[in-house]
Amino acid sequence: MAFITLSRENFYHNLNQIALKTGSLDKIAIVLKDNAYGHGLSLMAKMAHDFGIRHAVVRNHLEATEIDSLFETVLVLGGEALLSDTCSYAINALEQIAGMPEGCRVELKVDTGMHRNGIAADEVDEALAMIRKHALKLMGLMTHFRSADLLSSELFWQQKQFEVVRKKIETAGFSNLRIHSCNSAAILRSKRFDEDLVRVGIAAYGYNELASPFEDVVLKPVLALHARKVSSRKLKQGERAGYGGTFTAPKAMRISTYDLGYGDGWCRGDSDHPYITPEGLPILGRVSMDFIALESDKEAVCMMNDAQDAAKHFNTISYEMTTALSPTIERSII
Ligand SMILES: *Cc1c(COP(=O)(O)O)cnc(C)c1O
């Protein structure tokens, strides 16, 4: 089967770069949602823990239970809220509050302009009253930025909104809350940091998706994807390979089939504009569910060692390239 290698050295390099921005490793919450952006939840959690990261963020309780023994706190962004000494649950909507168990640790997400999830600024008083009524433990106050990666002032506008809500909540008598708003793009472009935590995902995995004038932090991709050879064959000039026969051998050649396909989360793409591997091998013809063809005889080939480069080819972003990778692909740390 195809396999993934994870570079411990590159991961720690990236975490160090982020710590230079936050001032300390203690202020990093590593975002491990969606199988750690497809990297592999438990391996990435273990590496982060070994490096001294104390906080994590996941998508739901199922992910939390796999890793919560490794961290002091785990923020769960969605799904059912449960009682836990480690996990806290984001409040995404007012209606959610009444359904949370008494004593549940929660973090109030404020909608400061993204309009995806969270409590509107003018609903905050009501939310606080409900949190008190249902005896929930308010641990933190958070927001999420919609365009921290764009060259615009929108980030500052949202930050201003957040500041207003933060003051309001302090005035309402909730103190010692952990305050966090930054994702990767926001922390990479910020010159000063005075919050308690960053929720950093993509940057930790090695990608800087900021517009180029911001690109001063060098990050290194953690993940590399490889495929193994299944079989080889000779093609005569003019013979065609794969579904639809879209690849025609321009000369007599030897091609091999490798065990990666769209069933593994690899993009099928367009065989008229083939993806080219980091070693310069174009995929020959159509991508099948479990197989691709390359003009190579090697036992294993590297298919991707920089998801941002691959994403450009498929007209998407690094996040989608790695997150799509099937959890059943074998993963190991190097
Ligand atoms: C996914 C997510 C993040 C991390 O975003 P990156 O751009 O990968 O750093 C932070 N906060 C929330 C609420 C998220 O959903």
Side-chain angles (χ1 to χ4, degrees):
M1 220 191 151
F3 62 100
I4 285 170
T5 53
L6 302 167
S7 165
R8 185 187 292 272
E9 194 181 323
N10 288 2
F11 184 42
Y12 291 174
H13 165 87
N14 301 334
L15 291 173
N16 272 328
Q17 296 306 302
I18 298 154
L20 289 174
K21 291 280 189 178
T22 61
S24 110
L25 277 183
D26 290 349
K27 290 193 168 190
I28 297 178
I30 176 82
V31 181
L32 298 170
K33 66 187 178 194
D34 295 271
N35 198 28
Y37 291 42
H39 288 60
L41 177 59
S42 51
L43 290 178
M44 293 307 297
K46 179 74 170 53
M47 278 202 284
H49 164 267
D50 290 349
F51 196 60
I53 300 291
R54 293 156 52 190
H55 308 283
V57 182
V58 294
R59 182 172 182 177
N60 52 34
H61 189 72
L62 196 67
E63 287 190 337
T65 50
E66 201 175 321
I67 56 143
D68 61 1
S69 62
L70 296 170
F71 297 98
E72 269 169 40
T73 73
V74 176
L75 167 62
V76 183
L77 293 171
E80 193 193 359
L82 300 166
L83 283 180
S84 158
D85 292 334
T86 312
C87 297
S88 57
Y89 294 83
I91 297 177
N92 290 308
L94 275 182
E95 310 80 74
Q96 204 187 333
I97 299 177
M100 294 174 128
E102 194 173 301
C104 181
R105 292 153 53 101
V106 295
E107 311 215 16
L108 186 62
K109 188 190 268 186
V110 182
D111 176 7
T112 54
M114 182 166 178
H115 305 323
R116 183 178 70 174
N117 286 315
I119 307 294
D122 60 6
E123 293 172 342
V124 163
D125 290 330
E126 197 182 337
L128 294 176
M130 289 177 76
I131 288 169
R132 283 205 167 105
K133 179 171 164 229
H134 291 279
L136 306 179
K137 278 191 209 148
L138 185 60
M139 312 299 296
L141 178 66
M142 62 186 283
T143 194
H144 194 45
F145 299 126
R146 72 177 179 195
S147 38
D149 55 339
L150 298 181
L151 270 173
S152 80
S153 58
E154 287 207 344
L155 171 65
F156 309 114
W157 164 69
Q158 278 196 260
Q159 280 173 334
K160 206 82 205 161
Q161 305 295 312
F162 191 48
E163 189 56 37
V164 172
V165 174
R166 176 179 177 170
K167 290 209 176 101
K168 191 169 174 177
I169 289 182
E170 277 161 12
T171 314
F174 288 93
S175 54
N176 292 328
L177 299 185
R178 55 180 200 174
I179 309 291
H180 46 104
S181 64
C182 291
N183 58 0
S184 295
I187 190 66
L188 288 177
R189 72 186 274 191
S190 70
K191 299 287 174 217
R192 64 184 174 84
F193 179 72
D194 59 6
E195 294 188 340
D196 301 306
L197 219 52
V198 294
R199 302 182 308 267
V200 66
I202 202 71
Y205 302 105
Y207 306 104
N208 184 343
E209 292 277 359
L210 286 175
S212 52
F214 292 120
E215 276 175 19
D216 57 339
V217 179
V218 176
L219 300 171
K220 300 179 180 176
V222 172
L223 177 146
L225 172 68
H226 313 262
R228 288 195 179 95
K229 187 168 77 178
V230 179
S231 63
S232 298
R233 69 210 69 253
K234 284 185 197 145
L235 292 184
K236 297 190 188 100
Q237 186 183 8
E239 279 185 321
R240 299 184 300 146
Y243 282 120
T246 59
F247 173 72
T248 306
K251 56 177 185 346
M253 63 197 292
R254 189 172 171 79
I255 67 169
S256 300
T257 300
Y258 288 85
D259 63 352
L260 179 75
Y262 60 82
D264 301 298
W266 183 251
C267 280
R268 180 168 174 273
D270 172 3
S271 63
D272 289 339
H273 300 99
Y275 173 80
I276 298 174
T277 73
E279 292 163 79
L281 300 168
I283 292 180
L284 307 177
R286 286 201 195 140
V287 171
S288 302
M289 193 179 291
D290 299 331
F291 304 110
I292 52 165
L294 299 171
E295 187 180 9
S296 171
D297 214 21
K298 284 169 69 172
E299 286 307 313
V301 291
C302 178
M303 291 301 299
M304 171 170 81
N305 54 17
D306 183 332
Q308 212 163 9
D309 283 350
K312 283 192 192 109
H313 176 84
F314 292 110
N315 197 19
T316 181
I317 52 176
S318 53
Y319 297 77
E320 191 181 9
M321 290 306 303
T322 62
T323 306
L325 295 172
S326 166
T328 59
I329 301 175
E330 152 200 335
R331 287 155 169 85
S332 59
I333 296 169
I334 53 166

